[in-house]
Amino acid sequence: MELPYAEPYKIKMVESIKRSTQEQREKWIKQADYNLFNLDAEKVFIDCLTDSGTGAMSDKQWAAMMVGDESYAGSRSFLELRETVNKITGFDYFLPTHQGRAAENVLFSVLVKEGDIVPGNSHFDTTKGHIEFRKATAVDCTIDEAFDTSVQHPFKGNIDLKKLENVFNAHPIAKIPFIIFTITCNSAGGQPASMKNIKEVSALCKKYHIPLYFDAARFAENAYFIRKREVGYEDMSIKKIVKEMFSYGDGMTMSAKKDGLVNMGGFIALNDESIFKQATVFNIMFEGFITYGGMNGRDMGALSVGLDESTEFNYLESRVEQVAYLGNKLLEYGVPVQQPIGGHAIFLDANKFVPNISREEYRAQALAIEIYVVGGVRGVEIGTVLADRDPVTRENRYPALELVRLAIPRRTYTNNHMDFIAATLKNIYDTRNQAKHGYTIVDEAAIMRHFTVKFEKI
Ligand code: F0G
């Protein structure tokens, strides 16, 4: 008999989670104004709101925390982290920040001006927010295949070269400060970009003298997919693949809460000394001194170890294949999900799941609420609510996809939890025709409304 797969780790510490009844959850979600961000975490059984900062650290990371150097300037923990980042990414300059959006804020304060155009592949919402906040425009150049959840394509995070070149030709080059390449592409379903595409995008950027930056939150998962799916990389180490990916860019912003395997942290790494120097000013203004940037010494220590662990094949195999395990169960039950299964999350296609709830009644939000009520599982809407209103017309923006994301925290849940989530979804899917009405918004913020928006049931 062939031996089955088993995780390359054992568990040293556990944390209790609370079960609840459907009746309790119906009451709690109403009290939370039907916004899942508003729920106390204790009222959630399996929390798939995000894979950001919710993972389990290893014994070696906890050990690194104990020997963190908390010096204000020039701490050993900073110097070690800078060396690790250089070794893993190849970028020469490094600035720590307290998380990913802080890295965006610092870097974009240097690079983005009013009226600028920043092309990319389905920019993450904070990235888009930081661009639009500066009265610039984010242009989505993701390949069309990404917007049909049932189309099979190994690299749905790819950038469409024609779309990108059209953007380059339609605007003065001086108005395009850089392009941002998100690996893996969260908004398109945790979908990777191929090395071939990264290389071609890089060549096109060079031709037009436009810098290429990575939004690298899940760069290690991207490298894993390259190794599994792209010819020529099947025997290459993850660290080598990562080095090659970054060699095609000018720099990166990083949310270390994902593939840094830490609960808090981020950074900027880049090659251009002049941009680095300008960024240090904003880092000091917004984040802290340039050798800590909002992070504790101990957190920088844990991040050094985390970056090393997350770029090992055995870790990535257990991580990405657990997500695939859940995805394959859902496919078996006929539940419509973004295919192929992404690296960090399952994306349920609400347009196919609950077509009888209208988009004006936020069908993906309605589905996310139902998943919480039925199973105590918390996911998040990635659809019209998240897309915000158009900054000019103030009309709702209806994105091509209405998704519910179930993000899987790293090294946190077992496959029994995955079975539980799958059963919850099967039960909802089997009774989906009973769903008729969604929700209406009664209160919302002007930008990034999804965090605080309040709904009423229709
Ligand atoms: N870029 C990507 C691709 C992200 O997914 C995130 C965060 C950020 C940037 C911002 O990083 O949270 O550290 O400030 N994504 C989280 C999520 C919030 O749930 O997907 P941050």
Side-chain angles (χ1 to χ4, degrees), residues 37 49-53 98-104 122-127 182-187 215-218 253-258 264-266 344 380 382 405 407 451:
F37 286 97
L49 184 71
T50 178
D51 63 322
S52 181
H98 79 272
Q99 62 184 93
R101 69 199 68 182
E104 292 163 0
S122 303
H123 310 61
F124 184 65
D125 55 333
T126 61
T127 319
T182 305
I183 51 172
T184 57
C185 186
N186 185 2
S187 310
D215 174 349
R218 299 178 182 84
T253 56
M254 176 73 189
S255 169
K257 304 171 73 170
K258 284 84 171 174
M264 190 53 74
H344 68 294
V380 68
I382 307 228
R405 185 186 74 172
F451 291 119

Side-chain angles (χ1 to χ4, degrees), residues 160-278:
D160 185 319
L161 293 161
K162 276 209 194 82
K163 286 189 197 173
L164 185 63
E165 194 157 21
N166 286 345
V167 177
F168 289 175
N169 288 325
H171 303 275
I173 293 303
K175 287 268 167 225
I176 309 174
F178 62 99
I179 90 144
I180 189 107
F181 206 152
T182 305
I183 51 172
T184 57
C185 186
N186 185 2
S187 310
Q191 299 292 318
S194 70
M195 192 73 88
K196 179 170 179 282
N197 186 249
I198 294 172
K199 213 165 152 176
E200 286 169 350
V201 167
S202 171
L204 192 65
C205 286
K206 284 208 171 73
K207 186 176 148 197
Y208 285 83
H209 304 289
I210 295 169
L212 164 60
Y213 282 85
F214 292 103
D215 174 349
R218 299 178 182 84
F219 73 95
E221 289 166 11
N222 200 87
Y224 176 80
F225 283 116
I226 288 176
R227 172 157 152 160
K228 295 292 279 193
R229 295 180 184 170
E230 197 162 348
V231 178
Y233 293 92
E234 45 282 273
D235 297 320
M236 199 182 272
S237 75
I238 296 293
K239 287 195 165 64
K240 216 168 158 201
I241 296 173
V242 165
K243 207 61 177 283
E244 183 182 336
M245 276 176 0
F246 286 130
S247 75
Y248 299 118
D250 297 279
M252 64 190 279
T253 56
M254 176 73 189
S255 169
K257 304 171 73 170
K258 284 84 171 174
D259 280 353
L261 292 176
V262 290
N263 303 116
M264 190 53 74
F267 60 85
I268 299 166
L270 75 176
N271 281 335
D272 187 310
E273 191 187 359
S274 145
I275 291 169
F276 167 73
K277 278 189 175 158
Q278 297 170 64

Side-chain angles (χ1 to χ4, degrees), residues 4 110 114 300:
V110 178
E114 185 173 341
M300 291 192 280

